[in-house]
Amino acid sequence: MNSSNNNAGPQGSKFNLRKELGRYLKYWYWFVAGAFVSVIAGIFYLRYTTPVYSATASIIINQETSNNRGSDMPDLGLASGLKTNNLDKEIAILKSKRLMHEVVKSLDLNITFFIDGQVRDVELYKNNPFTLKILKFNEKNASEFGGESYKADLNESGELSLTNLRNFTKINTQAGSPVDLDFATVVITPKEGISSFSNITIKFSNLESVAAAYRGGLQIIQEKEGSNVINLVMLDPVVDKARDIIDQVIFEFNRDAIDDKNLIASNTANFINERLDIINDELENVESGKEEFKESNRLTDIRTESQMFVQTASEYNERRQEIGTQIELVNAMLDYLSTSSNSELLPANLGIQESAVNQLISEYNNLVLQRNRIMRSSTELNPAVIRINNNIEQLKGNILQSLQSLRSTLRISQNEVNRQVQSVGSKILAVPSQEREYRGIERQQSIKEALYLYLLQKREENSLALAVTAPKAKIVDSAHSNGLIVSPKKKSVILGSLVLGLFLPFSVIYIRNLIDNKVRKRSDIEEFTQEIAIVGEVPKVKEKRELIIDKHDRSMLAESFRFLITNLQFVLLRTVNNQKARKILVTSTIKGEGKTFTAMNLALTLAFNRKKVLLIGADLRNPKLGKYQENFSNSLGLSDYLASNINCIEEFISNSKLNSNLKILGSGSIPPNPSELLRSEKLGTMFTDLENNYDYIIIDSAPTMLVTDTLIINKYADLILYIVKSGFTDKDLLEYVVANKRSGNMSNINFILNSVPRTELGYGNKYGYGYGVKKKTEFEWKSYFNSKTVKN
């Protein structure tokens, strides 16, 4: 195989675009048919496919800001429930199953209405002729019967008929009356002005599956990197439905954020109210003690008497009051931490002056909210929940440790202030003990009053923030649609259909050529080897009556043999110098390649040219010459001559009924030892005797690859014609022919390509000049009849 490739001509090593295109353009009708069928299929697809439209909306996600800067009023953390710095988290919420579940449930998208159309069913969205109200819904049965469909019909008398399209059971009732559908009880009421309708299909789908479908169809697109502008895109066959879904998604998203904010505000309000109740009781106790102290000691205006000393100690008292307030807040927060669970939110920004503690409380609340959101659609085993729980536990420990550290620091400061107060107190030893005790009572009263007023202020701030809530998602453009069909696109479908229609024939032809190992045309042989010339191409014969040509035949078959003879004359002139008969051996690799057919028509063509021709049937094992001449199969022939003692070969030669210039020496009887007969010296003597009596001797031999008979005879031949049948002979068999030529077994060998389709012929049909049967002129008819007379 490699040797043949080495001898390939230039056309075998260079890409020829014209040649490659020719392989496909000869099947142009396949491409036309494929494109036509594919485009028609595309048109039907456009006709019967439900068009899909697009709706779009734009929103801005509010960013988180801090209200603590430059303000004495701490932020309660309410706005942080509506604002965020994590845009990916908000996109995840917009795409969540829980949010889409609420959208489908709010819009009743799991219940759809269709009307029968001429081409396809059309969904009725907000245009159905009746209203359907669900009175009772069984969630368990809905999962089992959630895929049911019913055909609804209403006649003029108000009788409503519902037909289950699964089992074709029918329910008859009056319009406006409850109807039990196994999984739900519904009421169907015609709209005003509607007296009857028919062929309305009501489809009840599983809510979860519908939510999953719309969740997959919702596209969340960030305007650009780093931007908090988000575009929401929804595709649906009904434009109004797509718009409603997007608007409802935005509504449910904002409502979810408000619920989170309200949860923080509610926990903060509960904490403040609890502390107010405690402080109020303590304040009442202090005031009652003050009153009892004055009554028991008959005191009136102690302040005037101790004004000078109070001024000296006032600064320390204010500091001690501030520290005491901070210690009370820290103790209250520590008490709340010891009794609260990890799922409860901590009061945010109660006035603790330590910013690190406030920051830890804010981070803790954010993690609790995030964990609670995920838990609505997940379980405790979710890795994200476990991770957040670990972070919450760690943060809670950090907060506890920070508060304890802060309390220790405040107590140290308190002790220092007390020491200073005692230093000043030594200077007022002269003040009655009642004054000192009274000051202690007033100090306790002022601390409780300050804390009480502070908590009242925070409660009002909490109520005010709750009343003026702003949405997290601000709508830039509400849901809208341009009304253009998104899918299927007519131009794309038609173009795709056309490309597909052209690609399918191309791929079929390409694959067929790729896996085809048969010799099809002249170039297949030329690409394999240039050592052996192709002297002729014989067209494919469609009918048996065309197997034999006649003298005045002008068909492509006859012209191909005339063309063959012309080529043989040049080949023989170069190789044969004597004036004796030219001996031409016709063979092939295997049986069925047309060697007997070629030998017979070659002999006839030479005989029509007034040459004396002898056709020898040398295939002693499987003779085929008999089918071309009547009563010839039983006559004696070559095998009988070689096996007998008769030396006169002319006794075994018969006249052909097809032409007087053609003689035939048949194969004769099938011998048991064909190879031994052909090796006898009598065969060489026979060819010597026949050379002087004929111009051409055509030898029809056996296939070379199956038996050795041909290799025995070919030494007597001047020229070997090797038949290769188009569409029948494997390309691999050509290697066997080339090997025989190189070894010298068949030196003067030439190819004939047989049974070539007319589209693959190297002449005639290729250039638009074909041969056909033509009416004979008067001169041709006379010549024909004269030749018949001469033969007779």
Side-chain angles (χ1 to χ4, degrees):
M1 197 69 172
N2 294 334
S3 61
S4 63
N5 291 338
N6 293 336
N7 293 286
Q11 63 270 38
S13 59
K14 295 182 180 179
F15 177 76
N16 190 327
L17 178 61
R18 181 175 177 274
K19 180 179 177 181
E20 291 298 321
L21 289 176
R23 293 183 177 182
Y24 299 95
L25 291 180
K26 64 183 177 181
Y27 300 107
W28 61 268
Y29 46 88
W30 283 17
F31 290 94
V32 173
F36 177 78
V37 172
S38 184
V39 170
I40 292 298
I43 293 173
F44 274 94
Y45 172 78
L46 292 172
R47 174 68 172 164
Y48 291 99
T49 301
T50 302
V52 176
Y53 301 88
S54 172
T56 307
S58 298
I59 60 174
I60 295 177
I61 303 296
N62 291 326
Q63 296 293 324
E64 184 176 354
T65 57
S66 175
N67 294 333
N68 287 331
R69 297 177 182 176
S71 175
D72 295 332
M73 185 179 295
D75 187 4
L76 289 176
L78 301 176
S80 62
L82 297 177
K83 300 174 184 178
T84 181
N85 287 325
N86 191 347
L87 197 60
D88 292 337
K89 179 184 69 175
E90 304 307 325
I91 292 176
I93 295 175
L94 285 168
K95 287 280 290 184
S96 65
K97 293 190 296 183
R98 175 183 56 82
L99 195 68
M100 186 56 71
H101 185 278
E102 294 299 324
V103 171
V104 173
K105 190 174 180 181
S106 299
L107 298 178
D108 290 330
L109 297 179
N110 59 317
I111 305 174
T112 50
F113 308 91
F114 296 89
I115 186 171
D116 295 342
Q118 293 181 352
V119 177
R120 56 180 176 267
D121 293 344
V122 179
E123 182 176 354
L124 300 175
Y125 182 73
K126 297 182 179 179
N127 295 323
N128 49 314
F130 58 85
T131 58
L132 187 146
K133 184 178 181 181
I134 298 178
L135 300 180
K136 185 173 65 175
F137 186 78
N138 190 316
E139 189 71 31
K140 182 178 180 181
N141 291 343
S143 60
E144 180 180 355
F145 299 101
E148 296 282 345
S149 296
Y150 291 86
K151 183 78 72 174
D153 298 284
L154 179 68
N155 56 27
E156 297 289 344
S157 61
E159 183 178 353
L160 178 67
S161 174
L162 292 176
T163 304
N164 190 315
L165 298 181
R166 178 177 60 86
N167 53 25
F168 296 99
T169 57
K170 195 170 186 181
I171 302 174
N172 293 320
T173 184
Q174 290 293 320
S177 301
V179 181
D180 185 12
L181 300 179
D182 294 330
F183 60 90
T185 301
V186 301
V187 175
I188 296 177
T189 306
K191 291 183 178 179
E192 185 178 355
I194 303 297
S195 59
S196 64
F197 55 80
S198 61
N199 293 328
I200 303 296
T201 301
I202 308 172
K203 184 177 181 180
F204 297 90
S205 302
N206 182 272
L207 194 145
E208 295 296 336
S209 61
V210 174
Y214 283 115
R215 177 171 172 260
L218 179 63
Q219 302 177 27
I220 309 295
I221 305 171
Q222 190 174 0
E223 183 76 19
K224 59 181 180 180
E225 187 175 357
S227 171
N228 60 339
V229 179
I230 293 178
N231 296 322
L232 288 82
V233 181
M234 188 70 198
L235 304 180
D236 197 82
V238 182
V239 179
D240 292 340
K241 182 190 287 188
R243 289 198 294 260
D244 290 347
I245 291 174
I246 292 179
D247 289 337
Q248 192 67 26
V249 166
I250 298 173
F251 174 79
E252 295 292 341
F253 176 75
N254 282 329
R255 187 172 69 175
D256 181 73
I258 292 173
D259 290 343
D260 288 343
K261 170 260 177 185
N262 289 339
L263 184 60
I264 296 177
S266 176
N267 281 275
T268 303
N270 292 335
F271 175 79
I272 292 175
N273 290 331
E274 291 175 1
R275 297 308 302 167
L276 280 174
D277 292 338
I278 295 173
I279 298 301
N280 185 54
D281 293 338
E282 293 177 352
L283 187 58
E284 288 181 357
N285 293 332
V286 172
E287 290 177 346
S288 298
K290 180 180 179 181
E291 183 180 354
E292 293 175 356
F293 178 81
K294 283 187 175 183
E295 289 178 354
S296 62
N297 291 281
R298 299 179 182 273
L299 296 176
T300 56
D301 189 9
I302 301 177
R303 185 181 300 274
T304 303
E305 298 175 1
S306 58
Q307 182 176 4
M308 185 169 38
F309 298 102
V310 170
Q311 287 178 350
T312 304
S314 61
E315 180 178 355
Y316 294 108
N317 287 330
E318 289 177 0
R319 176 60 181 159
R320 183 164 53 186
Q321 176 182 332
E322 180 181 356
I323 293 173
T325 300
Q326 289 294 312
I327 291 176
E328 285 289 334
L329 290 175
V330 171
N331 288 335
M333 185 60 75
L334 286 172
D335 292 340
Y336 187 82
L337 274 175
S338 63
T339 58
S340 64
S341 65
N342 290 346
S343 61
E344 295 180 0
L345 297 169
L346 298 179
N349 298 313
L350 290 176
I352 297 176
Q353 295 178 353
E354 182 64 30
S355 59
V357 174
N358 291 328
Q359 180 65 30
L360 289 174
I361 292 173
S362 177
E363 293 178 4
Y364 179 91
N365 288 338
N366 287 335
L367 285 176
V368 171
L369 284 176
Q370 186 175 357
R371 194 273 308 276
N372 291 342
R373 286 182 185 175
I374 296 175
M375 285 292 295
R376 295 172 187 171
S377 59
S378 183
T379 65
E380 289 286 346
L381 299 179
N382 191 317
V385 174
I386 296 174
R387 177 175 53 80
I388 293 175
N389 284 336
N390 294 335
N391 293 338
I392 289 174
E393 190 67 30
Q394 183 179 359
L395 270 178
K396 190 172 183 179
N398 293 341
I399 293 171
L400 182 62
Q401 183 178 0
S402 298
L403 288 173
Q404 290 173 347
S405 176
L406 178 61
R407 185 173 62 180
S408 299
T409 302
L410 290 173
R411 285 176 176 175
I412 293 173
S413 300
Q414 188 181 45
N415 292 334
E416 177 64 22
V417 172
N418 288 335
R419 188 183 65 80
Q420 295 294 338
V421 170
Q422 290 176 0
S423 175
V424 175
S426 62
K427 298 179 182 180
I428 57 174
L429 291 175
V431 179
S433 60
Q434 294 91 348
E435 177 67 18
R436 290 195 302 271
E437 187 175 354
Y438 182 75
R439 277 296 170 190
I441 295 173
E442 278 195 333
R443 185 166 56 250
Q444 292 294 326
Q445 181 184 12
S446 62
I447 291 174
K448 300 299 180 183
E449 285 180 349
L451 183 58
Y452 185 78
L453 293 175
Y454 179 78
L455 290 175
L456 284 177
Q457 180 186 4
K458 288 300 177 183
R459 186 170 66 178
E460 291 303 316
E461 291 176 2
N462 188 29
S463 300
L464 181 62
L466 184 61
V468 293
T469 299
K472 179 187 292 186
K474 180 180 179 181
I475 299 176
V476 179
D477 291 318
S478 58
H480 61 281
S481 175
N482 55 15
L484 299 178
I485 297 176
V486 176
S487 173
K489 293 185 177 180
K490 185 176 180 180
K491 292 183 179 179
S492 299
V493 171
I494 295 299
L495 181 60
S497 300
L498 180 61
V499 172
L500 179 63
L502 296 175
F503 175 75
L504 287 178
F506 173 83
S507 60
V508 172
I509 296 172
Y510 176 79
I511 294 174
R512 190 187 71 172
N513 291 337
L514 191 65
I515 64 177
D516 185 17
N517 194 37
K518 303 294 183 182
V519 176
R520 299 286 178 182
K521 51 188 179 296
R522 171 188 288 264
S523 60
D524 292 338
I525 301 176
E526 293 173 343
E527 289 174 0
F528 189 89
T529 179
Q530 292 285 330
E531 295 183 44
I532 303 175
I534 303 172
V535 294
E537 294 178 79
V538 179
K540 186 175 182 179
V541 177
K542 297 181 179 180
E543 299 181 11
K544 288 185 177 181
R545 61 182 179 84
E546 299 178 352
L547 288 175
I548 299 299
I549 61 177
D550 58 41
K551 183 177 182 180
H552 301 284
D553 194 347
R554 300 190 63 182
S555 65
M556 293 186 69
L557 179 64
E559 293 297 336
S560 67
F561 278 98
R562 295 186 183 107
F563 193 82
L564 172 62
I565 290 175
T566 303
N567 288 337
L568 291 179
Q569 289 176 348
F570 288 104
V571 174
L572 290 170
L573 284 175
R574 292 196 305 268
T575 58
V576 181
N577 296 322
N578 58 49
Q579 299 299 320
K580 297 180 180 181
R582 273 71 168 175
K583 297 179 287 298
I584 301 174
L585 176 68
V586 181
T587 186
S588 65
T589 307
I590 58 176
K591 62 182 295 186
E593 293 182 295
K595 52 185 181 52
T596 304
F597 160 78
T598 304
M600 173 59 75
N601 284 288
L602 176 61
L604 275 173
T605 305
L606 290 169
F608 291 146
N609 288 333
R610 302 180 184 277
K611 301 294 183 181
K612 296 179 64 176
V613 182
L614 174 62
L615 177 59
I616 300 176
D619 188 354
L620 304 184
R621 302 171 189 266
N622 187 23
K624 295 292 185 181
L625 281 177
K627 70 177 184 179
Y628 293 97
Q629 189 157 323
E630 296 179 3
N631 302 322
F632 187 76
S633 58
N634 296 325
S635 60
L636 300 177
L638 179 61
S639 62
D640 300 294
Y641 168 73
L642 295 176
S644 68
N645 295 323
I646 302 175
N647 293 325
C648 182
I649 186 61
E650 295 295 337
E651 296 183 11
F652 298 90
I653 295 175
S654 303
N655 294 323
S656 172
K657 297 179 180 180
L658 300 174
N659 191 282
S660 59
N661 292 325
L662 175 62
K663 307 292 182 179
I664 298 177
L665 174 59
S667 302
S669 304
I670 299 177
N673 53 349
S675 299
E676 286 74 6
L677 287 178
L678 294 175
R679 284 191 177 93
S680 66
E681 296 180 358
K682 195 174 184 180
L683 180 64
T685 304
M686 180 194 75
F687 281 115
T688 303
D689 295 339
L690 294 174
E691 284 179 351
N692 297 319
N693 300 329
Y694 298 95
D695 296 317
Y696 290 93
I697 298 174
I698 310 299
I699 306 167
D700 176 27
S701 66
T704 60
M705 199 173 190
L706 302 179
V707 293
T708 61
D709 299 1
T710 302
L711 298 178
I712 297 173
I713 302 174
N714 77 74
K715 62 182 179 180
Y716 302 107
D718 299 318
L719 181 66
I720 299 174
L721 297 181
Y722 207 96
I723 309 301
V724 176
K725 188 174 182 179
S726 174
F728 181 82
T729 304
D730 287 343
K731 293 179 181 178
D732 295 338
L733 297 179
L734 298 178
E735 188 174 356
Y736 170 78
V737 185
V738 175
N740 276 287
K741 177 176 175 59
R742 291 176 179 173
S743 65
N745 291 334
M746 294 184 289
S747 55
N748 193 11
I749 185 172
N750 294 272
F751 280 127
I752 293 180
L753 185 58
N754 183 31
S755 192
V756 183
R758 298 195 177 192
T759 56
E760 300 291 352
L761 283 173
Y763 61 96
N765 212 49
K766 180 177 179 181
Y767 296 101
Y769 182 72
Y771 293 88
V773 178
K774 178 181 175 184
K775 290 184 178 180
K776 297 178 175 62
T777 62
E778 182 179 355
F779 174 78
E780 290 173 333
W781 279 113
K782 289 179 179 179
S783 300
Y784 175 75
F785 286 116
N786 290 336
S787 65
K788 290 290 183 180
T789 305
V790 171
K791 285 200 295 182
N792 292 336

